[in-house]
């Protein structure tokens, strides 16, 4: 599905300095980056990066400083010209653009928001927001109208005639955002836009960006070094280090399955615990489900429990037309009082079980279990088939894996 | 045998002399035209400056000092200017000022584009930098010789020599100002698809303005010091007084003229610096 992607980055490398091609050749031979830098005096910003960014996604590039994330995002509007590779936007390779095409591309398709705002100190707020429209040659009344609209969108109505120096950091970045939005681009590039702000303002602006994105559906490429920000904002996250992409995935997949130790340490082993929304029912269930047909006897059930070392059985329909459909569950408590070991499962099973969809998140699962005071919650897949069971024990097991190891006392 | 052998003597000066002589012969039409233009402009400026009554200058300086600083400063600048008049040097000061203004104007006209070119074409900058160094270290009086040869004696060679001498700081600081424009601000300008000219005019030059203002200040100071010397090639002005008092060993007269020059320089410096700071704080 080629056309599904708005931006396709293919084999992009950026090496700064003279002799960049030579440095690239050395890298291709497998020489480590540090050695190449030392030998050629070139700085390797990004090496063989492949990324596909879907239209309307907020795509987060995350990495420490020096990881090449800012280099990479600057390739997307050619503030950095890739030393090698293709960047296709709407199917056109922008690296091959000539001067005029590039100008038009920057004027209409892509706008950028900068870490330190990049505002023009000699212009007031309105004239800053107008800048992009002004260089396009849009007439004064029209661009004023569009800029006022953009300022209203970011909540800066009434601040038009102030100068950037009179504004707080958060407001400056709103101006930066309004300036980018005024141009009505398809793609918004945001290079650590909230890093220079205090935590409270940062959170506020993150929320506003999320809200804005719900309405605008721009394709956003967002660079950050802050994992919390990445998880909050990103539909997809790419983790970068030393100029290469280590992993790119949905946020929850990065948390659950970090590809290597670096990503794991970057994400933080306790991260999942701090963001319980990312834990799904399928992550906290015990996958050991022992099924028993509704027509089986108590004796059989006791045997099964012993054999599988479990104290709960899922009673399923072994008779067509609905094979393996969950009917109820039987725990040890239900068996205790029964003296007649020939009683069928279908008669003593607990039938008012709450089936948990596999994608329900931890907070909701815990809520249901608390409200309904239930001990065993079977987890079903999309077809209604039981794939696991959540018990107090399974929750504890998962949490002990996630929670950082306790300090020793 | 410890002396430097005469056989190895090289005379660089002769080439410059040849060049100047060649220009004199082959480009006399050009220099005549330049002379005509400069004279015409100078006379207009002189007329204009002389048309304004002395107390208007004093009031203007007071106002400028007051607006850019406080009323005490305004008052002290006004008093200094008043003293120049009281020394009996007002008329000569007008001559001096007209040379300074015209020279500074030409310097800016030539220097700012050169500074821009240095910043835009780094190779050009690398060539120009040592030339600027040489221009600034060269004893200023040396400029008087070719100026006098090309333009004769009087006001025009004075303007020429003063312009050449005052040129380096404005070039240098324009260049510096442009090179120091915040990288992100420049990137922001580029990212919106500005053309090179739009970027220069709407982003870079306005951002570099405080530094360029400092350059204008320095250029004016250089012009002030050169204009005094240029009286050696017959330019009228306060420098003439200095020259006369040297020749006649008239200490009092010399110091009167000296102080007058110092006062004018201080007034220029403070007012231009105040203006530059105004731009800085408005960032």
């Amino acid at each position: 599905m080629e056309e599904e992607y708005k931006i396709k980055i293919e084999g992009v490398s950026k090496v700064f300095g003279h002799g960049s091609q030579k440095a690239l050749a050395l890298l291709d031979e497998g020489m480590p980056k540090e050695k190449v830098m030392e030998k050629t005096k070139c700085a390797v910003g990004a090496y063989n990066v492949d990324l596909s960014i879907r239209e309307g996604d907020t795509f987060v590039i995350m990495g420490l400083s020096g990881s090449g994330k800012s280099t990479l995002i600057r390739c997307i509007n050619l503030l950095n010209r890739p030393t090698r590779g293709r960047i296709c936007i709407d199917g056109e390779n922008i690296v091959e653009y000539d001067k005029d095409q590039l100008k038009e591309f920057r004027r209409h398709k892509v706008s950028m928001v900068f870490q330190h705002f990049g505002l023009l100190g000699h212009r007031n707020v309105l004239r800053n927001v107008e800048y992009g429209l002004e260089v396009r040659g849009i007439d004064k009344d029209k661009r004023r109208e569009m800029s006022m609209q953009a300022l209203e969108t970011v909540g800066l109505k009434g601040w038009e005639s102030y100068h950037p120096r009179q504004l707080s950091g958060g407001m400056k970045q709103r101006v930066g955002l309004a300036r980018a939005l005024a141009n009505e681009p398809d793609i918004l590039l945001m290079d650590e836009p909230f890093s220079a702000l205090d935590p409270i303002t940062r959170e506020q602006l993150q929320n506003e960006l999320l809200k804005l994105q719900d309405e605008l559906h721009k394709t956003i490429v967002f660079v950050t070094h802050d994992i919390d920000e990445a998880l909050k904002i990103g539909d997809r996250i790419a983790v970068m280090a030393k100029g290469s992409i280590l992993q790119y995935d949905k946020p929850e997949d990065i948390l659950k399955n970090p590809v290597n130790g670096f990503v794991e340490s970057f994400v933080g082993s306790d991260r999942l615990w701090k963001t319980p929304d990312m834990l799904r029912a399928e992550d906290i269930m015990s996958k050991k489900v022992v099924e028993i047909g509704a027509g089986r006897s108590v004796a059989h059930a006791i045997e099964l429990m012993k054999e599988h070392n479990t104290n709960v059985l899922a009673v399923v329909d072994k008779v067509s037309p609905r094979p393996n459909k969950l009917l109820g569950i039987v725990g040890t408590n239900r068996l205790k009082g029964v003296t007649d070991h020939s009683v069928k499962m279908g008669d003593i099973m607990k039938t008012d079980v709450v089936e948990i969809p596999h994608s329900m998140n931890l907070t909701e699962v815990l809520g249901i279990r608390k409200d309904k005071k239930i001990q065993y919650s079977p987890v079903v897949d999309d077809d209604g088939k039981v794939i696991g069971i959540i018990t107090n024990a399974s929750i504890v097991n998962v949490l002990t894996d996630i929670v950082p190891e306790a300090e020793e006392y | 045998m410890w002396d430097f052998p005469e056989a190895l003597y090289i005379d660089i000066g002769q080439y410059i002399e040849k060049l100047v002589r060649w220009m004199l012969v082959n480009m006399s039409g050009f220099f005549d035209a330049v002379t005509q233009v400069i004279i015409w402009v100078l006379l207009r400026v002189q007329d204009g400056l002389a048309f304004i009554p002395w107390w208007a200058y004093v009031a203007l300086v007071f106002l400028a000092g007051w607006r850019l600083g406080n009323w005490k400063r305004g008052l002290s600048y006004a008093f200094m200017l008043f003293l120049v008049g009281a020394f009996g040097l007002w008329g000569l000061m007008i001559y001096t000022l007209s040379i300074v203004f015209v020279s500074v104007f030409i310097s800016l006209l030539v220097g700012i584009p050169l500074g821009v070119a240095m910043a835009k074409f780094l190779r050009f900058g690398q060539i120009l930098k040592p030339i600027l160094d040489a221009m600034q270290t060269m004893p200023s009086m040396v400029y008087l010789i070719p100026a006098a040869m090309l333009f004769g004696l009087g006001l025009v060679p004075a303007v020429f020599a003063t312009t050449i001498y005052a040129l380096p700081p404005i070039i240098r600081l324009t260049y510096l100002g442009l090179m120091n424009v915040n990288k992100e601000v420049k990137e922001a300008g580029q990212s919106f698809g500005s053309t090179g000219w739009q970027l220069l005019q709407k982003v870079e030059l306005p951002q570099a303005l405080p530094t360029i203002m400092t350059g204008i200040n320095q250029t004016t100071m250089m012009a002030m010091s050169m204009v005094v010397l240029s009286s050696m090639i017959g330019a009228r002005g306060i420098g003439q007084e200095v020259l006369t008092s040297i020749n006649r060993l008239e200490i009092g007269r010399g110091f009167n003229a000296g102080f007058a020059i110092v006062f004018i320089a201080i007034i220029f410096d403070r007012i231009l610096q105040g203006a530059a700071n105004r731009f800085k704080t408005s960032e």
Side-chain angles (χ1 to χ4, degrees), chain A residues 292-298 315-316 327-330 334 342-351:
Chain A
I292 187 168
R296 293 299 192 146
S297 66
V298 170
V315 182
V316 296
L327 299 174
I329 54 171
V330 170
R334 292 256 161 181
S342 62
V343 173
K344 301 271 183 289
M345 285 296 109
D347 301 327
I348 59 159
M349 69 184 181
K350 181 175 161 59
T351 49

Side-chain angles (χ1 to χ4, degrees), chain A residues 23-43:
Chain A
L24 216 48
L26 289 173
L27 286 169
D28 290 340
E29 284 168 21
M31 191 184 274
K33 258 157 232 166
E34 295 78 11
K35 223 165 165 192
V36 172
M37 291 197 193
E38 196 181 306
K39 196 163 176 184
T40 59
K41 305 276 176 261
C42 288

Side-chain angles (χ1 to χ4, degrees), chain A residues 74 107 116 122 131 134, chain B residues 184 187 193-194 198 202 282:
Chain A
R74 277 170 172 69
R107 285 182 178 185
H116 302 287
H122 60 282
Y131 185 83
E134 188 181 318
Chain B
E184 245 188 24
E187 280 185 334
S194 315
Q198 283 173 329
K202 294 177 194 287
S282 74

Side-chain angles (χ1 to χ4, degrees), chain B residues 76-282:
Chain B
S76 61
Y77 300 159
F79 183 64
M80 286 181 198
L81 194 60
F82 175 81
L83 280 180
V84 176
F87 291 164
L89 297 171
W90 194 270
L92 292 177
M93 180 189 76
I94 295 296
Y95 285 118
T96 299
L97 285 185
S98 64
I99 297 176
V100 168
F101 285 155
V102 173
S103 306
V104 168
F105 179 73
I106 299 174
S107 292
L108 301 187
L109 215 60
V110 176
I112 293 176
L114 278 178
V116 172
M118 269 179 90
K120 292 283 164 188
F121 310 103
L122 297 180
R123 187 92 206 114
F124 177 68
Q126 283 168 352
I127 299 170
L128 203 56
K129 257 183 230 165
I131 299 179
L132 290 179
D133 288 338
M135 281 172 78
Q136 278 184 305
T137 350
M138 183 77 71
S140 46
M141 272 180 278
V142 177
Y143 291 123
L144 295 175
I145 309 162
M149 283 183 73
L150 292 172
F151 297 101
L153 295 177
L155 284 173
V156 178
V159 168
F160 177 80
T162 307
T163 302
I164 299 283
Y165 186 67
L167 201 50
I170 186 65
I171 299 179
R172 231 184 251 279
L173 283 153
T174 303
Y175 166 74
L176 194 71
L178 290 177
M179 293 307 275
N180 285 346
V181 172
N182 180 291
K183 186 171 164 267
E184 245 188 24
V185 173
K186 216 151 91 180
E187 280 185 334
Q190 288 170 326
S191 74
F192 285 100
S194 315
T195 60
W197 172 246
Q198 283 173 329
L199 191 70
L200 183 69
Q201 167 214 353
K202 294 177 194 287
V203 178
E204 292 176 296
L205 282 178
Q207 290 286 307
L209 198 57
T211 315
I212 296 177
M213 283 301 292
T214 309
I216 295 176
N217 181 17
Q218 286 191 16
T219 285
T220 311
M221 290 300 105
M222 300 281 278
M224 270 305 292
S225 66
M226 188 64 196
V227 82
V228 175
L229 279 179
S230 67
S231 60
M232 287 170 74
I233 49 172
R236 296 193 64 186
I238 301 181
Q240 232 179 341
E241 280 288 296
V242 180
L243 207 60
T244 315
S245 37
I246 292 173
N247 289 337
R248 300 187 195 163
L249 284 179
E250 290 185 72
I251 299 169
R253 191 175 177 180
F255 271 98
N256 274 353
F259 276 123
I261 290 161
V262 169
F263 291 154
I264 297 168
I266 288 176
I267 293 168
F268 265 133
D269 181 54
R270 295 301 138 85
I271 288 178
L272 285 171
Q273 223 159 59
N277 286 339
R278 173 76 37 121
F279 279 110
K280 244 172 235 166
T281 50
S282 74

Side-chain angles (χ1 to χ4, degrees), chain A residues 149-166:
Chain A
Q149 179 90 41
L151 277 172
E152 207 176 323
T153 310
V154 300
L156 275 186
K157 202 180 173 191
W159 293 85
E160 304 88 57
S161 55
Y162 283 75
H163 270 263
R165 65 171 184 282
Q166 296 169 297

Side-chain angles (χ1 to χ4, degrees), chain A residues 50-317:
Chain A
D50 292 299
L51 282 179
S52 301
I53 299 171
R54 296 187 310 174
E55 177 144 28
D57 260 7
T58 302
F59 191 99
V60 175
I61 303 172
M62 183 173 72
L64 302 171
S65 56
S67 61
K69 56 193 193 304
S70 286
T71 304
L72 187 61
I73 198 176
R74 277 170 172 69
C75 284
I76 300 176
N77 62 358
L78 294 188
L79 281 177
N80 285 340
R81 190 164 276 280
T83 315
R84 185 173 69 189
R86 289 156 52 87
I87 296 173
C88 292
I89 293 178
D90 293 330
E92 282 183 46
N93 181 9
I94 61 162
V95 181
E96 286 169 358
Y97 275 170
D98 65 26
K99 219 171 147 190
D100 282 330
Q101 285 173 309
L102 174 61
K103 196 176 71 191
E104 289 307 309
F105 166 70
R106 284 174 172 173
R107 285 182 178 185
H108 296 282
K109 255 198 188 146
V110 59
S111 291
M112 192 157 181
V113 178
F114 294 85
Q115 183 177 5
H116 302 287
F117 324 125
L119 298 181
L120 303 169
H122 60 282
R123 290 175 167 226
N124 66 22
V125 168
L126 182 68
R127 300 245 302 127
N128 262 289
V129 177
E130 276 181 358
Y131 185 83
L133 303 166
E134 188 181 318
V135 296
R136 266 160 67 174
I138 289 174
D139 72 77
K140 207 169 176 172
D141 293 334
K142 178 78 182 148
R143 71 179 189 234
R144 180 135 310 184
E145 189 191 314
M146 291 170 83
S147 305
M148 292 299 276
Q149 179 90 41
L151 277 172
E152 207 176 323
T153 310
V154 300
L156 275 186
K157 202 180 173 191
W159 293 85
E160 304 88 57
S161 55
Y162 283 75
H163 270 263
R165 65 171 184 282
Q166 296 169 297
L167 305 182
S168 66
M171 289 168 95
K172 282 183 193 166
Q173 196 53 294
R174 280 165 206 264
V175 178
L177 188 58
R179 180 173 63 177
L181 290 175
N183 245 16
E184 298 178 346
D186 298 351
I187 300 168
L188 211 52
L189 304 178
M190 307 185 84
D191 181 19
E192 301 213 31
F194 307 143
S195 301
L197 308 175
D198 63 84
I200 294 169
T201 315
R202 191 183 312 152
E203 188 163 350
Q204 216 173 11
L205 279 174
Q206 286 165 353
N207 293 339
E208 278 173 44
L209 181 67
L210 284 173
K211 219 167 78 191
L212 219 66
Q213 174 66 345
D214 279 344
E215 293 160 23
L216 300 174
H217 303 296
K218 304 267 182 207
T219 306
I220 299 178
V221 183
F222 190 106
V223 162
T224 183
H225 62 256
D226 178 355
I227 172 76
D228 291 309
E229 189 168 70
L231 294 173
K232 183 170 178 182
I233 285 182
D235 295 315
R236 288 282 190 286
I237 295 176
V239 182
M240 238 183 139
K242 293 183 182 171
S244 304
I245 303 281
L246 299 180
Q247 180 172 14
Y248 83 96
D249 247 325
K250 287 185 199 151
E252 56 265 34
D253 290 334
I254 292 217
L255 287 185
K256 284 177 209 159
N257 311 309
V259 286
N260 60 24
F262 180 83
V263 176
E264 192 175 349
S265 68
F266 189 56
V267 165
S269 51
D270 59 337
R271 181 68 48 189
L272 212 46
W273 176 236
K274 282 186 188 160
T275 46
D277 286 357
M278 298 243 167
L279 277 177
R280 308 283 168 202
E282 57 195 359
D283 299 321
I284 52 172
M285 71 188 184
S286 154
K287 290 198 180 75
K288 195 168 75 179
V289 199
V290 182
E291 293 182 350
I292 187 168
R296 293 299 192 146
S297 66
V298 170
H300 190 88
I302 293 170
E303 277 311 303
L304 270 177
M305 282 182 173
K306 272 185 192 160
E307 187 184 329
H308 292 280
N309 191 22
T310 178
N311 45 16
V312 61
L313 297 172
V315 182
V316 296
D317 190 359

